[in-house]
Amino acid sequence: MSKVYLKEQEYGKENVRLAKVIRKEKWHEIIELTVRVLLDGEFESSYTKADNSMIIATDSMKNTIYILAKQSSCVEDIEIFASEIGQHFITTYSHVHKATISITKHKWTRMLIDGKLHDHSFLRDGEDVHDTKVVVSRKGITIESGLKNLLVLKTTGSAFHGFLRDKFTTLQETDDRILSTSIDATWNFNTISTDSIAKIPFNDIFESIKQITLHTFATDNSASVQATLFLMAKNGLEKHSEIESIRYELPNKHYFTYDLERFGLKNTGKDSDIFVPVSDPAGLITATVARVKE
């Protein structure tokens, strides 16, 4: 019989849904989160010996998230709130070596009513989200934040030509096309101490990276998705010294011209205005851009 061993393990609670209302007299904020907790530590006996004496129940993890959310003044700063959750498990349980906390902040935008921002009413005007993964261990803390599901499109300012052609190539070169993608971006922060984490403007950096991404997408006369992606990341790193690297994933959301020649209608070149959205298959362009360490 072959000998086996437990190579690695983590366990925890996922998809913990949480909403917190922050009231400042009549002015309210709504924060909606989805939280995942994964713990790594001295839990081997629960796997190999059916001994649950070291297990922290995942139901207790769920309760901990709600209790800490009630007590915390930083729930809207998800990177800080995630570090608070992680620190709780590390400091409360000596046999927990590492806590990985992932949080997604769901989008609620304040309504504009009669030309004024409403004090307690919101709408969801897109599926893009702010998320983070914070790893808290006895060696320190690492933070990765991200922007996910940002669907964008521009009707011109994008070309694609000069690519390698061989006997399998059928794609036609173009000087002008619709460019659309659903942007996922993640960025890693430089080494962070638990004392300095509260000093980092995580929400401001998130909003800045989002605006840099949108501005670059809209204004770059794109030679390819690859070239635009690199420029997005370069601009973000130049703006924010706190960030060590940025990764983008940009899947193509294709819009192809529809053949109307058979009906006696021209729908090519400058006369093209009828397109068919095609979701699959799709190209996927990814890259991680990092600073050169001096």
Side-chain angles (χ1 to χ4, degrees), residues 237-255:
L237 288 170
E238 288 177 348
K239 177 73 173 179
H240 296 289
S241 60
E242 304 95 334
I243 296 174
E244 185 177 84
S245 64
I246 301 180
R247 176 177 175 81
Y248 278 97
E249 296 189 6
L250 304 181
N252 282 322
K253 301 293 183 181
H254 293 297
Y255 287 75

Side-chain angles (χ1 to χ4, degrees), residues 22 24 29 31 73-78 81 105 130 203:
I22 301 172
K24 303 172 184 177
E29 302 282 353
I31 311 299
S73 61
C74 299
V75 174
E76 59 189 321
D77 299 293
I78 59 174
F81 183 48
K105 181 194 282 187
H130 176 185
N203 286 339

Side-chain angles (χ1 to χ4, degrees), residues 41-205:
E42 298 169 25
F43 304 113
E44 182 176 353
S45 62
S46 67
Y47 292 87
T48 62
K49 298 179 180 179
D51 175 6
N52 294 333
S53 60
M54 302 298 281
I55 289 289
I56 305 162
T58 66
D59 188 67
S60 301
M61 298 179 194
K62 176 200 68 178
N63 293 339
T64 298
I65 291 168
Y66 290 121
I67 292 166
L68 293 178
K70 178 70 173 179
Q71 297 172 340
S72 176
S73 61
C74 299
V75 174
E76 59 189 321
D77 299 293
I78 59 174
E79 290 86 356
I80 298 176
F81 183 48
S83 71
E84 291 176 346
I85 297 171
Q87 286 291 340
H88 168 85
F89 287 106
I90 290 293
T91 57
T92 304
Y93 304 101
S94 61
H95 64 291
V96 174
H97 299 162
K98 182 178 72 174
T100 301
I101 314 300
S102 301
I103 299 181
T104 297
K105 181 194 282 187
H106 302 282
K107 187 175 185 181
W108 286 112
T109 302
R110 193 174 298 276
M111 289 186 186
L112 189 66
I113 304 298
D114 298 328
K116 296 180 180 180
L117 292 173
H118 200 269
D119 54 11
H120 60 257
S121 297
F122 305 83
L123 65 103
R124 182 157 294 169
D125 58 347
E127 294 304 315
D128 51 297
V129 296
H130 176 185
D131 63 11
T132 191
K133 182 171 77 172
V134 177
V135 180
V136 181
S137 72
R138 302 193 183 280
K139 296 179 180 179
I141 183 169
T142 63
I143 297 179
E144 176 185 278
S145 294
L147 166 67
K148 297 290 189 298
N149 304 326
L150 181 63
L151 184 61
V152 295
L153 178 150
K154 63 180 181 180
T155 56
T156 190
S158 174
F160 190 52
H161 52 77
F163 51 87
L164 186 149
R165 305 194 71 88
D166 60 24
K167 62 182 180 180
F168 297 126
T169 304
T170 58
L171 183 67
Q172 297 300 306
E173 298 189 351
T174 179
D175 291 322
D176 191 25
R177 63 175 180 172
I178 290 177
L179 178 59
S180 179
T181 183
S182 179
I183 297 172
D184 285 0
T186 54
W187 48 95
N188 291 287
F189 288 89
N190 296 316
T191 303
I192 298 171
S193 67
T194 54
D195 295 332
S196 65
I197 187 172
K199 300 176 183 177
I200 299 175
F202 292 105
N203 286 339
D204 291 343
I205 292 172

